[in-house]
Amino acid sequence: MRALRWHGTRTAAVADDIAMPRIEEPRDAVVRVVRSAICGTDLHPYRGEIDAFTPGTVTGHEFTGVVEEVGPEVRGLRPGDRVVASDIIACGHCRSCRRGWHYQCDRVGLFGYSTVVGTRAYAGGHAEYVRVPFADTVLFPIPDDVGDERALFIGDVLATGYACAVGAEVRPGATVAVVGCGPVGLLALEAAWVLGAARVLAIDPLESRRKLAAERGACPVPATPDVDQQVADLTDGRGADAVLEAVGTDAALLTALDVVRPRGTVCAVGAHASEAMPLPTRLAFAKEVTLRFAVGDPISDFEPLMNLVRAGRVDPTFLISHRMPLAEAAEGFRLFDSGEASKVVLIP
């Protein structure tokens, strides 16, 4: 079959001789991919930012498809079902899973991400077919009235943006600041509106992203050194009630702490990896800030998110700037990495 493989920093190529996936465990399914997407998380290995990433990895953790085959212990799924996959692989049965903490599963994994998450590598969705472990936990049926592209982002970026807004305790009437207006930040912005925000400030250094946020009803704010003063000017000196940090860098988190109001809440869903961030505890203590980190959980939040999509309250397809055949996936990575694309969807 055809699939995209990562070979090193900014080096990825589509190959036609990848072995077809097969049922290996009783709860496996094999899915024929219909749509997949390139995620900002995929850019970390692409840019050479993860030392332990294994060359030859088939990437991709956002995908929809059709079930081709199921193992003997899979319940509630059958061949022919249209499905969207959770990016997080979880067993559904361990103590953490029973509490709804799927990222803390004893057997957690992430499609197409080597062994960065968990101890076992699973080939990803930038391919024609995917083996899906724990299929009756990881896969969700797509209703007939929802297209593949509308369902696609429930499996990662929509769930992550939603978790960010919920984690920041966005309430009706709140002023919310979003730090980083890539795909996750823009869907966090959408989630803030759903939760009742009265005003959303969209902070990003790129004019193109600020423009897209403005089209979604937000007030664009350039990420300049005086961003804290800009936010103060826009909030009568108070700061934002809730701040949604969707970048994953020390600078972005420091910005979030700068612009949040006293006794406000910051939720960070950017993939942080710093070991020595200079956290300004003096500022955080003086403001009595609540700081929370969260990981999107499509397994827990699939039903409410699908309901929002079906009702038309959230349509995440506005993110898509490029639709490309899988054969051009390497070019899709280049476009996304360079900022020329806001979201790339691949079609096998």
Side-chain angles (χ1 to χ4, degrees):
M1 70 166 185
R2 177 177 293 175
L4 180 77
R5 278 181 160 168
W6 177 87
H7 296 289
T9 302
R10 290 187 167 85
T11 305
V14 174
D16 295 321
D17 58 351
I18 308 298
M20 280 284 294
R22 58 183 178 82
I23 301 295
E24 298 179 17
E25 301 287 344
R27 292 179 63 199
D28 285 356
V30 174
V31 172
R32 174 173 56 84
V33 178
V34 174
R35 293 289 188 277
S36 63
I38 301 173
C39 178
T41 306
D42 293 322
L43 292 181
H44 293 302
Y46 182 73
R47 292 169 174 167
E49 297 170 353
I50 300 177
D51 294 336
F53 212 81
T54 305
T57 295
V58 175
T59 57
H61 52 262
E62 289 183 304
F63 60 93
T64 65
V66 176
V67 175
E68 294 285 302
E69 185 180 2
V70 297
E73 294 183 9
V74 173
R75 301 292 179 262
L77 292 172
R78 60 185 180 181
D81 286 349
R82 296 171 58 237
V83 291
V84 57
S86 164
D87 61 333
I88 296 171
I89 297 166
C91 74
H93 293 164
C94 70
R95 184 176 183 223
S96 292
C97 285
R98 291 197 303 271
R99 300 184 73 174
W101 300 350
H102 297 100
Y103 194 66
Q104 309 305 325
C105 174
D106 294 342
R107 301 173 70 180
V108 69
L110 190 68
F111 286 105
Y113 223 62
S114 187
T115 53
V116 177
V117 177
T119 59
R120 183 170 179 180
Y122 296 93
H126 296 154
E128 293 177 317
Y129 294 86
V130 183
R131 171 185 164 250
V132 178
F134 312 120
D136 43 16
T137 294
V138 174
L139 296 176
F140 312 101
I142 301 174
D144 291 341
D145 58 348
V146 176
D148 285 280
E149 290 185 355
R150 289 176 65 204
L152 176 60
F153 302 127
I154 292 174
D156 181 8
V157 289
L158 179 55
T160 303
Y162 179 76
C164 193
V166 170
E169 301 177 351
V170 174
R171 294 185 170 88
T175 294
V176 177
V178 177
V179 179
C181 295
V184 170
L186 289 168
L187 291 178
L189 184 159
E190 294 290 303
W193 290 134
V194 167
L195 294 176
R199 193 180 192 191
V200 179
L201 311 180
I203 301 170
D204 198 280
L206 297 180
E207 183 179 359
S208 59
R209 288 182 170 181
R210 295 197 304 272
K211 180 179 178 182
L212 193 52
E215 292 172 359
R216 310 307 299 176
C219 173
V221 179
T224 55
D226 67 342
V227 66
D228 55 337
Q229 186 59 52
Q230 293 184 68
V231 172
D233 292 343
L234 290 166
T235 58
D236 297 323
R238 295 178 65 250
D241 301 307
V243 183
L244 319 183
E245 190 273 291
V247 182
T249 63
D250 292 357
L253 189 52
L254 290 170
T255 295
L257 292 169
D258 279 340
V259 303
V260 71
R261 67 162 171 81
R263 296 189 69 85
T265 302
V266 173
C267 185
V269 294
H272 283 268
S274 174
E275 297 290 344
M277 177 184 167
L279 183 69
T281 52
R282 177 178 175 181
L283 172 67
F285 179 78
K287 285 187 174 183
E288 298 182 90
V289 169
T290 296
L291 172 60
R292 177 176 290 124
F293 293 82
V295 175
D297 190 341
I299 298 172
S300 290
D301 294 331
F302 169 77
E303 187 172 351
L305 293 176
M306 181 58 80
N307 288 340
L308 288 171
V309 169
R310 292 188 78 181
R313 295 187 65 191
V314 177
D315 183 356
T317 60
F318 78 88
L319 291 175
I320 302 170
S321 60
H322 292 71
R323 295 173 176 86
M324 307 175 72
L326 177 61
E328 298 177 14
E331 173 64 5
F333 263 86
R334 188 198 67 78
L335 290 168
F336 194 39
D337 178 42
S338 68
E340 298 172 64
S342 58
K343 191 70 172 178
V344 177
V345 169
L346 302 173
I347 305 171

